[in-house]
Amino acid sequence: MRRTPFYNFFIVALLVTMTASVSAQQVDSKLPWSVRLTESEMIRYPESWQLDFQPKLKWDYCHGLELGAMLDVYDAYGDKKIRDYAIAYTDTMVHEDGSITAYKLTDYSLDRINSGKILFRIYEQTKNPKYKKALDLLYSQFEGQPRNEDGGFWHKKIYPHQMWLDGIYMGAPFYAEYAFRNNLPQDYADVINQFVTCARHTYDPKNGLYRHACDVSRTQRWADPVTGQSKHTWGRAMGWYAMALVDVLEFIPQHEAGRDSLLDILNNVAVQVKKLQDPKTGGWYQVMDRSGDKGNYVESSCSAMFIYSLFKAVRLGYIDKSYLDVALKGYKGFLDNFIEVDKNGLVTITKACAVAGLGGKVYRSGDYDYYINETIRNNDPKAVGPFIMASLEYERLQKKFSTMKRTIFKGMMCLLLLGVGATSVYAQQQQRKDTLVVARDGTGEYRNIQEAVEAVRAFMDYTVTIYIKNGIYKEKLVIPSWVKNVQLVGESAEKTIITYDDHANINKMGTFRTYTVKVEGNDITFKDLTIENNAAPLGQAVALHTEGDRLMFVNCRFLGNQDTIYTGTEGARLLFTNCYIEGTTDFIFGPSTALFEYCELHSKRDSYITAASTPQSEEFGYVFKNCKLTAAPGVKKVYLGRPWRPYAATVFINCEFGNHIRPEGWHNWKNPENEKTARYAEFGNTGAGADTSGRVAWAKQLTNKEAMKYTPQNIFKESSNWYPYK
């Protein structure tokens, strides 16, 4: 539309009028921050549709975010003008037949779902049937929303195969609440799958963070050609994801299968948020994986989102109470660094990134320079809404503390009367250590890893990190069964090396005593280190021997020859992600259930990669996804696997095979009976060795539908819903 002189005059006049109106109204400084900010926004934008700097009607996520926060303020303090302000927007946008201005279902944009959340409460209060119709309309979008093969929603129809962390917040809380309010328990599994799938696609094992997005097709210029992930962890994307988790968990019944997966993801997010909190401001950086780097800045919207999420998660018991200190530090820092108040009491939030995305017509590369150079503005609703919600959580906490004042004195007297007992509790707290440092050069608390392991208390309910500085640690390391919730983290994968040199022919040792590292405990994680059996190639020589359950290996190297990794317990669940594993014969073997993602399997000799002994009762054995199979020079005849025992199960999905893989692919261990029971399969593999035309007849090529069942939640289901990405 061509702008006429009259139009320009009208706009200028309107702005002048609004400015005068704003300057004439005041906000009482004695009010709680949630109310002060709400009233400030209502003064800045007299019409609720004007929120998010809008010159025309728009149905988008920002209105739902901020107006939802305002309705929370109304619920807390009962000021009817706030409720009326929100309803004015929905009355304007939603028509009698349930249609919504500026909403087009067939766009299949998750961003358009979020504003629907405010309709639940408005329909409850007004009983106007048009809002129920609108809710049903928005819910119907999920039926047609384009999906990837693993069920993950596309962020938008125009962004094929892409999952964004942003999109989880835009769609999942509405989806969960609709299912809860309409008694649709069958939808809970799909809601959970959106989180789990997105986490799997965006998780960065090197730092525990989640990238902004992933292109599963790996065709976008911003996408990593192997993982499909975007280049960085954008603070607000992580913030959206955190808020989505705490909001959705309210609607997922505690008994629902997979709910524990959400709690695991949330706890990992909390760990990373705590780790990356800026010590000076209490906030978080625009680009989280480059925190503190030149040009990066502490950004208000992601900071508000993390504060809100931590407050709420602690209140509802989703995460440990110790995170309350992180939230309180963040909240105080937010007030000190992002809040400005003018002479009329109007509250302004500063330093918010206006917008950041990926791809699009004006192509957004998603590199570091892109994120740090996006527009920064004041009073962005992506900061305003979450800070209102964070303030409400803080204010709720203050009220709780005020009601406790009467009992504090009594409690203190009880502690004094208990005397020794109180002192003992305090002493135990003082003895608790979350991090132990090992260094060969004596600069740590321990020189040997085993000494640090033995210092860990038995059956802990909190996580201890054993940080291992670079060096060569020649020791035969055992993690005993009574040790759990421990992370062993090296300074670097290449230079933090645990090594030993036992092999089967030393004093008739046999295979199972040759290990360099043996893990008997559950819930153990290894990161950024090398485990090596340095014995000469004179027989079986195990580098890693596992017997525990729920074990994870992230960015680790496993070096050896024959029998490098032994997964030794039936039903135990293991995850190897971004690891390098080398060997000669059967260098991955055993009965456990194990998922290998983005790993390199390097054959040093013509032989066999795997020798699974999966029990008949276990559906999954070894699953290799997005791995790369390489070989030393001259190695040209390698089998994918042979069955150590009947019913061995091994699957390769979306892997890259070098030309060293034999055309037949699989071996029966010279026993034709194994062909009747072995469960060997392939799907979507590429490379010179992936041609299936010469494969043995008793191996299987999976269909698309069959391949879709190989998800972490299916592979690791067993007796609990362990989600290992943490």
Side-chain angles (χ1 to χ4, degrees), residues 55-181:
K56 61 181 181 180
L57 298 181
K58 186 177 184 181
W59 182 264
D60 208 7
Y61 62 92
C62 283
H63 287 86
L65 174 66
E66 193 166 342
L67 292 173
M70 291 181 178
L71 285 173
D72 291 340
V73 175
Y74 166 73
D75 290 342
Y77 296 104
D79 190 339
K80 187 173 178 296
K81 71 173 183 288
I82 299 174
R83 170 184 174 271
D84 293 344
Y85 184 80
I87 292 178
Y89 174 72
T90 58
D91 269 349
T92 300
M93 302 300 294
V94 180
H95 308 293
E96 294 304 315
D97 62 354
S99 62
I100 304 170
T101 296
Y103 171 75
K104 186 179 180 182
L105 184 148
T106 53
D107 286 344
Y108 291 109
S109 171
L110 292 177
D111 287 348
R112 306 293 186 263
I113 295 290
N114 187 61
S115 281
K117 290 187 302 188
I118 63 177
L119 299 180
F120 291 113
R121 280 181 286 180
I122 292 175
Y123 174 60
E124 268 187 351
Q125 295 175 17
T126 65
K127 303 301 181 184
N128 190 328
K130 74 174 185 177
Y131 294 126
K132 180 62 169 65
K133 295 174 183 177
L135 286 165
D136 294 342
L137 172 65
L138 293 168
Y139 173 76
S140 72
Q141 181 177 319
F142 296 117
E143 183 177 356
Q145 190 74 22
R147 298 172 181 252
N148 295 315
E149 290 183 351
D150 53 15
F153 288 140
W154 294 6
H155 186 58
K156 298 180 181 181
K157 184 181 179 180
I158 61 172
Y159 295 155
H161 307 291
Q162 298 176 34
M163 293 195 75
W164 294 24
L165 293 180
D166 319 32
I168 300 297
Y169 180 82
M170 304 309 160
F174 176 94
Y175 198 177
E177 187 169 357
Y178 189 97
F180 179 83
R181 289 175 176 266

Side-chain angles (χ1 to χ4, degrees), residues 88-290:
Y89 174 72
T90 58
D91 269 349
T92 300
M93 302 300 294
V94 180
H95 308 293
E96 294 304 315
D97 62 354
S99 62
I100 304 170
T101 296
Y103 171 75
K104 186 179 180 182
L105 184 148
T106 53
D107 286 344
Y108 291 109
S109 171
L110 292 177
D111 287 348
R112 306 293 186 263
I113 295 290
N114 187 61
S115 281
K117 290 187 302 188
I118 63 177
L119 299 180
F120 291 113
R121 280 181 286 180
I122 292 175
Y123 174 60
E124 268 187 351
Q125 295 175 17
T126 65
K127 303 301 181 184
N128 190 328
K130 74 174 185 177
Y131 294 126
K132 180 62 169 65
K133 295 174 183 177
L135 286 165
D136 294 342
L137 172 65
L138 293 168
Y139 173 76
S140 72
Q141 181 177 319
F142 296 117
E143 183 177 356
Q145 190 74 22
R147 298 172 181 252
N148 295 315
E149 290 183 351
D150 53 15
F153 288 140
W154 294 6
H155 186 58
K156 298 180 181 181
K157 184 181 179 180
I158 61 172
Y159 295 155
H161 307 291
Q162 298 176 34
M163 293 195 75
W164 294 24
L165 293 180
D166 319 32
I168 300 297
Y169 180 82
M170 304 309 160
F174 176 94
Y175 198 177
E177 187 169 357
Y178 189 97
F180 179 83
R181 289 175 176 266
N182 292 276
N183 194 26
L184 299 171
Q186 65 272 19
D187 286 344
Y188 294 139
D190 196 20
V191 174
I192 292 169
N193 186 55
Q194 300 309 313
F195 285 93
V196 172
T197 303
C198 194
R200 186 171 73 252
H201 285 309
T202 60
Y203 179 75
D204 185 348
K206 294 182 180 179
N207 54 29
L209 299 172
Y210 302 90
R211 304 281 184 93
H212 187 172
C214 178
D215 172 19
V216 177
S217 68
R218 301 184 292 278
T219 58
Q220 287 292 314
R221 299 200 302 274
W222 52 258
D224 184 280
V226 176
T227 66
Q229 294 179 347
S230 60
K231 296 180 177 67
H232 293 287
T233 297
W234 178 36
R236 187 154 77 224
M238 274 274 288
W240 287 127
Y241 197 50
M243 293 201 301
L245 284 161
V246 297
D247 289 351
V248 159
L249 280 164
E250 285 193 279
F251 300 107
I252 303 293
Q254 293 191 9
H255 65 268
E256 184 67 28
R259 188 176 188 271
D260 287 348
S261 298
L262 302 187
L263 290 170
D264 284 341
I265 299 171
L266 176 59
N267 274 270
N268 179 54
V269 170
V271 168
Q272 308 309 325
V273 166
K274 178 181 180 179
K275 181 172 67 177
L276 293 174
Q277 185 175 36
D278 180 53
K280 183 178 180 180
T281 65
W284 287 267
Y285 278 86
Q286 164 80 340
V287 184
M288 293 186 70
D289 57 310
R290 297 282 297 274

Side-chain angles (χ1 to χ4, degrees), residues 629-659:
L629 279 57
T630 62
V635 176
K636 298 180 180 179
K637 298 178 180 179
V638 175
Y639 291 92
L640 297 171
R642 58 178 180 170
W644 186 22
R645 297 287 187 272
Y647 302 99
T650 303
V651 177
F652 288 85
I653 298 174
N654 296 331
C655 296
E656 180 181 347
F657 292 178
N659 61 7

Side-chain angles (χ1 to χ4, degrees), residues 203-209 268 271-272 275 463 465-468 486-494 496-498 524-531 552-558 577-579 724-726:
Y203 179 75
D204 185 348
K206 294 182 180 179
N207 54 29
L209 299 172
N268 179 54
V271 168
Q272 308 309 325
K275 181 172 67 177
T463 299
T465 298
I466 298 175
Y467 179 70
I468 309 166
V486 171
Q487 297 186 92
L488 292 93
V489 181
E491 186 176 353
S492 70
E494 294 75 20
T496 305
I497 302 170
I498 311 170
I524 308 295
T525 298
F526 290 76
K527 294 182 181 179
D528 301 325
L529 49 79
T530 294
I531 299 174
M552 188 164 80
F553 305 87
V554 180
N555 194 38
C556 292
R557 301 193 308 155
F558 301 91
T577 184
N578 197 43
C579 292
Y725 295 82
K726 56 193 294 191

